[in-house]
Amino acid sequence: MANSNKKKPITSMFSILKYAKKSTVVMIIISISALAALFFSSFHLIYENQRENLANRGRTTAFNTMNDINKFLEQGLLAVDVLSYSINSMMMRNASDYEIRSYLVSQSNTFTNALDSSFFGAYGLFNGTFLGGVGFEPESDFDPLTRPWYTAAINSNGQTTLVSPYENAQTHTTMMSISKQLSNKDDVVAVDMSLRKLQKTFEDNISDEVAALMLLDDSGKVIVHSDLNEVGKNYFEDSTGIGAKIHGILTKEISPDANYSDFEIKHDGHRYAVCYQLLNDQWYVVSLTSEDYIYKQLNYIYFILTAFSVLMIFIAIRIIVYSAKRQKSVTELDNQIKSMGDIYLSIHIINLNKDTFKEIRSNAKDLESALHQVSNHARDQIRAMMDILTQESFKPTMMSFIDLDTLNNRLANVNTITYEFVDWHNSWSRARFVVVDRNKDSSPHHVMWLIEAIDKEKREHEKLRYLSETDQMTGINNRASGSKKIQEYIASGIYGLFIIIDADKFKSVNDNYGHSTGDKVIIEIAECMKRAFRGDDIIMRLGGDEFAAYLSTVADKKTADIIIDRFFREIDSIDIPTLGDHKINVSVGCAFKRNEDDHDFDALYQHADTCLYLSKEVVGNKATFFNDEP
């Protein structure tokens, strides 16, 4: 009987509804409906975020490939700019075809050996004559004025331009040209590059997410494609394929000002995300990401979660809280991914409010034991980390750069700051702070701490700068870089002596002993200048057999005579076997730039040049000074 009076446990929702008041039933129904709505809203949010994350992985692969293309083409574009600058200078001084051809041969070898094996040589039309740097001899009916590399450059009005590829008749490889119109408006310089390396990059980046990668010109021609069978097709002429649909959208519906973006298309019942980037205002880099792969993953999640949706209603509040936290984490992760560059040695998140230091990714695993020995505070962790990573001479500046106490002020009006340094492996790296989000008072809350490896980029930049400033035959300054440095000396108030040097009867050396011997004479004169003049002096080759130098802080003729006599002794010691008994003599014109003088570099040059011609009237080594002041 005691058991008969005990209440039965409520085991179902129907029991609740049976014993509840009408208002309670209504509240329960409303609550369940609200919880269900919240649950499905949260699920939809998770679904969309997961979809976006999966799509981002495909986009990341695509944009990494785009960066590879950019780096590949930038070398060619920069090479053409260097060539055009140097050849313009050579043509302004009426350089001979022989000198221009020699320069093209030298630069072709330099680009191929020092920069990238994809380079196949430099060539162009100069003063109406085709000159090449790789030994190509055109046939009698060859007309450079009709070649694509020439017409494209002329139509680009001085802009460096990319020319549609062609098949090389000698090597049977797919090539492309990059060309530029020279300053006289009639001549063009160009380089050829093989697309084999680029084709391999496209093929290697295909995955489940990325269905295709392609490079199109604005006419619809396929330049490079991850599917080799598509190379050479014209999507403008093919009106049925997916390539034609992509090309139509790019040329008709996309704003010309949009250098890169993405859009979606449907084809044969499949959906694709298309990412594109415009290169040099001429070519489109396009990636095709299959959304079938994305939906296959998401549908599996959808059906699993739907099967348990009734059970999850009863813990809806916790799910909503969890979803909110996850959404915050996903948003933070997206911000981190978008803030990242290509490749970083380490990535950390710093919470400036809490002074915490969190690793996202690091290739320097040998730092972990050292970091575990210091406190958990961000300022201690980052100091310990950079004390190990930074080369000794860069440490004082690095410690100032990572000072978190001053970081708020330095990031007040910008979202990123950087510092380049040499690391413990004697390689160049770039340290960077990036603002992820800010507090209500606009001070940084979370910042990303990134270390990027830039050694290859840094050294290639220095190599190209050296090539652009150096005379390739002698290794001293060329005319442009030497003149610039002298003008900087003068502008800084550094007085000195400017001299112009010319080899006497140099033409007879070339005529009687050959151009190879003449080249040796030029090289030997440059070597004499290196030995006779001082480390702070600026020496340069003006062109041909003419040289110049600026002897800093030399303001009196007595000191000048000592230095020039030392130079003459070096000239007298030149020994070139192929010259036999022929003696090398030089004429020198000299002009002082003293503190009280107000003339500029051009006037200084004119004075020295006038004296040079006076010196050439005397047989043997001779130096003439402007006004012959003591």
Side-chain angles (χ1 to χ4, degrees):
M1 292 294 296
N3 289 337
S4 63
N5 293 329
K6 190 175 181 180
K7 293 184 178 180
K8 297 180 179 180
I10 300 175
T11 58
S12 67
M13 183 62 67
F14 293 105
S15 299
I16 296 175
L17 297 175
K18 179 178 179 180
Y19 291 101
K21 294 181 180 179
K22 183 176 181 180
S23 60
T24 304
V25 173
V26 172
M27 288 300 298
I28 291 174
I29 293 174
I30 293 174
S31 298
I32 292 175
S33 299
L35 288 173
L38 286 172
F39 166 73
F40 285 109
S41 297
S42 299
F43 171 77
H44 179 72
L45 187 61
I46 296 173
Y47 186 95
E48 288 299 317
N49 283 331
Q50 185 69 6
R51 177 181 177 275
E52 182 65 19
N53 285 340
L54 289 170
N56 275 341
R57 289 206 293 270
R59 294 189 186 104
T60 299
T61 301
F63 277 106
N64 284 340
T65 304
M66 294 177 191
N67 288 333
D68 290 340
I69 299 170
N70 273 324
K71 292 177 181 178
F72 175 83
L73 293 179
E74 280 173 2
Q75 293 188 66
L77 293 169
L78 184 56
V80 171
D81 287 340
V82 170
L83 287 168
S84 66
Y85 176 85
S86 299
I87 294 178
N88 275 327
S89 299
M90 295 174 71
M91 296 183 72
M92 287 178 65
R93 61 175 177 80
N94 297 321
S96 66
D97 288 352
Y98 173 81
E99 289 179 284
I100 295 177
R101 186 191 300 274
S102 298
Y103 176 71
L104 291 173
V105 171
S106 171
Q107 292 299 93
S108 296
N109 293 332
T110 298
F111 292 148
T112 301
N113 298 328
L115 296 180
D116 195 314
S117 59
S118 299
F119 283 90
F120 266 65
Y123 58 90
L125 185 69
F126 312 100
N127 294 323
T129 302
F130 175 84
L131 301 175
V134 290
F136 169 68
E137 294 295 332
E139 298 179 359
S140 59
D141 61 347
F142 177 80
D143 184 6
L145 299 180
T146 64
R147 307 303 295 177
W149 54 266
Y150 181 87
T151 56
I154 294 298
N155 293 333
S156 295
N157 296 320
Q159 297 297 316
T160 307
T161 185
L162 307 175
V163 185
S164 293
Y166 66 96
E167 184 175 353
N168 187 290
Q170 293 178 317
T171 62
H172 300 289
T173 58
T174 303
M175 310 285 293
M176 65 166 288
S177 301
I178 303 177
S179 59
K180 185 174 184 177
Q181 182 184 39
L182 298 181
S183 58
N184 64 5
K185 305 301 183 182
D186 294 322
D187 296 341
V188 170
V189 65
V191 298
D192 279 352
M193 298 176 69
S194 169
L195 294 180
R196 184 182 301 148
K197 179 179 178 180
L198 209 54
Q199 178 66 38
K200 182 69 165 54
T201 300
F202 273 49
E203 293 172 0
D204 290 345
N205 278 284
I206 296 303
S207 63
D208 290 335
E209 293 104 334
V210 181
L213 288 165
M214 62 193 77
L215 182 62
L216 311 175
D217 65 16
D218 52 8
S219 71
K221 184 178 179 180
V222 181
I223 298 169
V224 184
H225 199 289
S226 52
D227 181 357
L228 191 59
N229 294 324
E230 293 293 301
V231 175
K233 290 184 178 180
N234 192 310
Y235 287 154
F236 177 76
E237 298 172 355
D238 176 14
S239 59
T240 59
I242 189 171
K245 187 175 294 185
I246 292 173
H247 178 257
I249 295 175
L250 289 174
T251 55
K252 297 178 182 178
E253 300 180 20
I254 301 299
S255 168
D257 296 329
N259 288 329
Y260 63 90
S261 188
D262 54 30
F263 54 90
E264 293 186 352
I265 61 172
K266 292 183 179 180
H267 183 74
D268 288 342
H270 300 283
R271 296 178 62 179
Y272 300 91
V274 181
C275 301
Y276 73 92
Q277 185 170 358
L278 185 59
L279 293 179
N280 207 47
D281 294 327
Q282 293 179 265
W283 292 354
Y284 292 97
V285 182
V286 182
S287 71
L288 206 61
T289 304
S290 173
E291 293 193 358
D292 290 348
Y293 174 81
I294 295 172
Y295 288 118
K296 179 181 178 181
Q297 301 294 318
L298 294 177
N299 286 337
Y300 176 79
I301 297 172
Y302 177 83
F303 287 117
I304 293 296
L305 292 179
T306 301
F308 294 95
S309 61
V310 175
L311 294 176
M312 294 177 69
I313 289 175
F314 294 98
I315 55 172
I317 294 178
R318 298 186 68 179
I319 292 296
I320 292 170
V321 172
Y322 170 78
S323 299
K325 289 182 178 180
R326 181 172 181 180
Q327 170 59 20
K328 182 180 179 181
S329 298
V330 170
T331 302
E332 290 178 351
L333 181 59
D334 285 342
N335 288 334
Q336 294 160 12
I337 293 173
K338 292 174 183 177
S339 299
M340 288 170 53
D342 291 334
I343 299 176
Y344 288 91
L345 294 176
S346 67
I347 303 173
H348 293 78
I349 290 290
I350 300 176
N351 185 326
L352 295 177
N353 293 354
K354 297 182 178 180
D355 195 22
T356 58
F357 193 68
K358 179 182 178 182
E359 178 184 303
I360 302 301
R361 182 176 63 185
S362 176
N363 294 332
K365 296 302 181 185
D366 42 358
L367 290 174
E368 292 182 359
S369 59
L371 295 181
H372 289 160
Q373 297 176 12
V374 299
S375 71
N376 293 327
H377 296 295
R379 60 192 69 249
D380 296 331
Q381 294 263 319
I382 194 172
R383 286 183 67 87
M385 176 181 182
M386 299 317 298
D387 185 58
I388 296 174
L389 283 181
T390 309
Q391 196 178 85
E392 199 66 34
S393 60
F394 287 83
K395 281 186 180 180
T397 308
M398 175 59 76
M399 293 304 141
S400 176
F401 179 74
I402 63 174
D403 185 359
L404 299 186
D405 292 331
T406 64
L407 191 59
N408 285 351
N409 292 333
R410 288 182 285 147
L411 289 173
N413 299 313
V414 295
N415 286 324
T416 183
I417 55 176
T418 62
Y419 172 62
E420 294 180 359
F421 67 101
V422 176
D423 63 21
W424 58 353
H425 297 305
N426 202 33
S427 297
W428 280 97
S429 297
R430 181 185 292 121
R432 182 188 297 272
F433 284 111
V434 179
V435 177
V436 176
D437 56 15
R438 294 180 181 269
N439 299 310
K440 291 183 179 180
D441 63 356
S442 296
S443 62
H445 180 193
H446 292 92
V447 296
M448 294 186 72
W449 166 248
L450 309 163
I451 299 178
E452 179 185 3
I454 61 168
D455 193 67
K456 182 178 180 181
E457 169 191 336
K458 189 88 172 178
R459 297 188 189 279
E460 286 184 352
H461 175 76
E462 290 299 317
K463 184 186 296 181
L464 288 174
R465 185 185 64 80
Y466 172 81
L467 290 174
S468 68
E469 294 182 355
T470 305
D471 178 70
Q472 297 301 301
M473 179 180 289
T474 62
I476 63 177
N477 291 300
N478 58 28
R479 186 186 192 112
S481 64
S483 299
K484 180 180 178 182
K485 291 176 181 178
I486 294 174
Q487 292 178 47
E488 290 173 352
Y489 265 26
I490 294 174
S492 300
I494 301 176
Y495 60 88
L497 175 67
F498 179 72
I499 65 174
I500 299 178
I501 302 167
D502 185 83
D504 294 343
K505 299 180 180 180
F506 181 73
K507 184 176 184 302
S508 67
V509 173
N510 280 333
D511 292 343
N512 296 320
Y513 300 97
H515 286 283
S516 61
T517 300
D519 289 347
K520 292 178 182 178
V521 171
I522 290 174
I523 293 171
E524 284 298 324
I525 292 175
E527 291 299 318
C528 290
M529 294 176 71
K530 293 177 186 178
R531 294 191 295 268
F533 301 141
R534 303 159 304 170
D536 291 338
D537 298 335
I538 298 171
I539 61 175
M540 63 177 174
R541 182 186 178 199
L542 297 174
D545 60 326
E546 282 194 333
F547 300 83
Y550 189 78
L551 312 183
S552 62
T553 69
V554 175
D556 62 273
K557 190 170 184 297
K558 182 178 180 181
T559 304
D561 285 338
I562 293 173
I563 298 175
I564 292 175
D565 286 344
R566 185 166 66 222
F567 173 61
F568 284 161
R569 288 195 298 272
E570 292 290 345
I571 292 294
D572 289 337
S573 69
I574 292 177
D575 182 18
I576 301 176
T578 55
L579 280 176
D581 295 332
H582 184 88
K583 183 175 179 59
I584 299 299
N585 293 313
V586 295
S587 298
V588 180
C590 310
F592 287 106
K593 172 65 175 75
R594 299 185 175 92
N595 284 334
E596 62 270 18
D597 297 333
D598 60 356
H599 46 256
D600 58 11
F601 174 72
D602 292 335
L604 196 64
Y605 188 100
Q606 185 61 45
H607 294 164
D609 193 52
T610 300
C611 294
L612 173 67
Y613 283 96
L614 295 176
S615 295
K616 292 184 75 67
E617 295 176 359
V618 178
V619 177
N621 296 328
K622 173 64 177 175
T624 303
F625 288 79
F626 186 73
N627 289 338
D628 202 19
E629 297 174 348

